[in-house]
């Protein structure tokens, strides 16, 4: 069960870090696209909406799944702690606390990824709605 410690530290936390990078990269790409979009280039509202919402699902997926991946790290960390406690019998409370801290680190990392991702998603969806309302105002 000792393989769980690096799996949590590098696997779960690394996955969450990479998810965070992807979410920020997609949000930045969408923001840059929004800055250069011209409503007159879109005679059809559905085509405009399709272009504006492209890739936003990636940010939403990351934001909604990051807490679960963090929770998986928490469960694995607690399993590792209980396994060590059962194997050693009587343990120093410091060892137990280190295992629980490792578990909670994964939960915190999941939330650190999810909260900004959902915020970025909501900001971008709001901007999409503004574009669509502006297009409707111009085209009737």
């Amino acid at each position: 069960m000792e393989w769980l410690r690096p799996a949590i530290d590098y696997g779960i936390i690394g996955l969450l870090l990479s998810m965070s990078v992807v979410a920020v990269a997609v949000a930045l790409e969408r923001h840059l696209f929004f800055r250069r979009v011209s409503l007159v280039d879109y005679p059809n509202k559905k085509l405009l909406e399709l272009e504006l919402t492209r890739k936003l699902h990636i940010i939403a997926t990351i934001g909604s799944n990051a807490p679960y991946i963090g929770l998986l790290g928490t469960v694995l960390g607690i399993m590792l702690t209980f396994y060590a406690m059962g194997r050693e019998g009587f343990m120093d409370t410091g060892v137990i606390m280190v295992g629980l801290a490792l578990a909670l680190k994964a939960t915190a990392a999941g939330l650190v990824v999810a909260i900004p991702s959902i915020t970025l998603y909501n900001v971008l969806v709001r901007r999409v709605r503004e574009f669509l309302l502006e297009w409707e105002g111009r085209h009737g």
Side-chain angles (χ1 to χ4, degrees), residues 24-25 27 46 53 59 63-64 68 75 78-80 82 88 90 92 120 129-130 137:
V24 170
K46 293 292 181 185
T53 58
I59 301 171
S64 62
Y68 294 116
V75 169
I78 291 171
M79 284 174 47
L80 178 64
F82 284 155
E88 298 292 324
F90 182 75
D92 180 26
L120 288 170
R129 288 186 189 138
E130 290 173 1

Side-chain angles (χ1 to χ4, degrees), residues 5-74:
R5 187 173 308 278
I8 296 167
D9 268 343
Y10 300 112
I12 301 291
I13 304 295
L15 178 61
L16 288 168
L17 179 63
S18 63
M19 289 170 63
S20 178
V21 169
V22 169
V24 170
V26 170
L28 183 59
E29 185 275 330
R30 290 284 83 197
H31 173 72
L32 293 174
F33 174 75
F34 290 168
R35 290 181 64 189
R36 68 178 190 274
V37 72
S38 174
L39 297 178
V40 297
D41 294 341
Y42 297 93
N44 184 333
K45 181 182 173 187
K46 293 292 181 185
L47 292 175
L48 173 63
E49 186 173 4
L50 185 64
E51 284 296 318
L52 292 174
T53 58
R54 182 162 288 158
K55 299 179 188 173
L56 289 183
H57 67 282
I58 296 170
I59 301 171
T61 302
I62 289 171
S64 62
N65 286 304
Y68 294 116
I69 294 172
L71 181 61
L72 174 63
T74 300

Side-chain angles (χ1 to χ4, degrees), residues 79-130:
M79 284 174 47
L80 178 64
T81 301
F82 284 155
Y83 177 79
M85 288 169 54
R87 189 181 44 167
E88 298 292 324
F90 182 75
M91 290 183 69
D92 180 26
T93 57
V95 174
I96 297 170
M97 293 304 135
V98 167
L100 295 177
L102 173 67
L104 293 175
K105 180 172 68 170
T107 300
L111 293 174
V112 164
V113 172
I115 293 168
S117 295
I118 295 299
T119 302
L120 288 170
Y121 174 77
N122 287 331
V123 167
L124 293 170
V125 167
R126 169 70 179 149
R127 189 70 181 116
V128 166
R129 288 186 189 138
E130 290 173 1

